[in-house]
Amino acid sequence: MSVDISQFQQVFFEEAADNLASMESLLVGMDIAVPAEDDLNAVFRAAHSIKGGAGMFGLTDISGFTHVLETLLDRIRKHEIPLLTSHVDAFLEAGDLIRAMIAGHRGEAGADAQVVEACHARLADMAGVAVGPAAVPPPNAPAAPTSVAAASSERRAATGWQLELGPMPADLFGRVKSDLEIHGLVEVRAAPGPRETSGTWVLELTGMASAEALRGELEFVLPPEAIRIEPVYAGMAAAPAPDDGSFGFFDDEPAASPPADAAAPAGDDSFGFFDDEPSAPVAAAPAAAAAASAA
């Protein structure tokens, strides 16, 4: 049975609206000269939450745009860049554009592509990062309804992904890991040597994100050739019932082979592959009859 998950997407839209309202309130009331640490962290968390939710539902235009916003906020809250009036103005404009992008996914008037692109480039320039063009959905084009059954084919390995990333500088790893952790549990399976300044990392991510969402996240900081994503579990076969002997591959597999001295019905040696396959006793009957006649 497929279950429409558009209701969960609606919850994300509502939570994003709350986060945007919170961001706007904090930014408007912020002392730009001496911003409170708690306020900066709260604005960052709101942007982080929007980016993570958008990525989970495949809204790459919102997640990509908010990623750049989040990057700038992160640098400011870590005191790598001082907060300026121009930053606050850009943040407020970005909030309005995210609202418009959400409206576009709801089938309403969406964001103007040129305005989104200009703000995206402005945020990236302020953050000191190089990014590609922003993705903008066509106006009045809501995201197609998705069912759990349909999503399972895209996320067939949702229980885990293996990420081989690199070569990349060791000092970039912390940021990459932090970005991935919004999608689930991240565990390091292999890492460069302690004295290596660059190398390849192998990570395992357990979560619901699609490979496309993860790749879109990573391509903000790594070139495509440095990103390799493979499913940890390629199948989703159900675990077998205790002692049924089926190993979870075939629903109609016989539970177990009968004892050797038990009377077995015809076809008991078919192993479920051929319904009409004769059993061994039937095949041996002509030979037994011939031996009796010779005697």
Side-chain angles (χ1 to χ4, degrees):
M1 179 182 71
S2 65
V3 178
D4 186 1
I5 64 170
S6 60
Q7 57 183 316
F8 304 114
Q9 190 177 73
Q10 179 63 29
V11 171
F12 161 68
F13 290 150
E14 293 171 357
E15 290 183 348
D18 290 341
N19 280 316
L20 289 169
S22 175
M23 284 176 58
E24 183 175 287
S25 177
L26 288 165
L27 289 167
V28 169
M30 191 173 290
D31 183 344
I32 296 176
V34 189
E37 297 285 338
D38 289 345
D39 289 348
L40 288 175
N41 287 329
V43 173
F44 171 82
R45 285 194 300 270
H48 191 72
S49 178
I50 293 170
K51 184 189 76 170
M56 180 171 292
F57 287 101
L59 308 177
T60 54
D61 58 313
I62 297 175
S63 63
F65 181 84
T66 312
H67 177 79
V68 181
L69 169 63
E70 176 198 52
T71 300
L72 178 54
L73 283 165
D74 191 39
R75 295 201 66 189
I76 291 172
R77 76 185 183 119
K78 291 178 177 177
H79 306 290
E80 297 175 5
I81 299 175
L83 179 65
L84 304 174
T85 302
S86 58
H87 292 145
V88 174
D89 292 342
F91 296 152
L92 293 172
E93 180 186 5
D96 290 339
L97 289 173
I98 293 170
R99 284 191 184 92
M101 284 188 272
I102 290 174
H105 284 290
R106 284 175 154 171
E108 304 166 13
D112 182 279
Q114 291 183 343
V115 177
V116 171
E117 181 61 40
C119 186
H120 184 261
R122 183 182 173 195
L123 291 168
D125 182 63
M126 289 176 168
V129 296
V131 297
V136 184
N140 302 313
T146 308
S147 67
V148 168
S152 66
S153 61
E154 177 188 0
R155 298 172 178 171
R156 191 152 181 84
T159 50
W161 297 101
Q162 178 174 286
L163 311 172
E164 186 177 339
L165 310 176
M168 69 174 174
D171 58 3
L172 184 60
F173 171 71
R175 175 181 170 185
V176 170
K177 186 172 182 289
S178 176
D179 287 344
L180 290 173
E181 282 175 340
I182 67 170
H183 298 291
L185 174 67
V186 177
E187 298 176 89
V188 179
R189 298 304 186 198
R195 296 188 179 183
E196 295 183 61
T197 58
S198 181
T200 298
W201 301 76
V202 178
L203 311 177
E204 184 175 318
L205 184 146
T206 302
M208 291 298 293
S210 67
E212 291 77 11
L214 295 177
R215 183 172 293 279
E217 183 87 28
L218 292 165
E219 285 182 352
F220 279 103
V221 292
L222 293 172
E225 63 271 16
I227 303 168
R228 291 162 293 282
I229 304 175
E230 297 291 339
V232 173
Y233 307 112
M236 299 182 70
D243 300 324
D244 68 355
S246 68
F247 298 99
F249 295 107
F250 306 100
D251 291 339
D252 299 326
E253 186 75 13
S257 301
D261 57 349
D268 68 337
D269 291 330
S270 66
F271 298 98
F273 295 106
F274 308 100
D275 292 339
D276 300 324
E277 182 75 11
S279 65
V282 174
S293 174

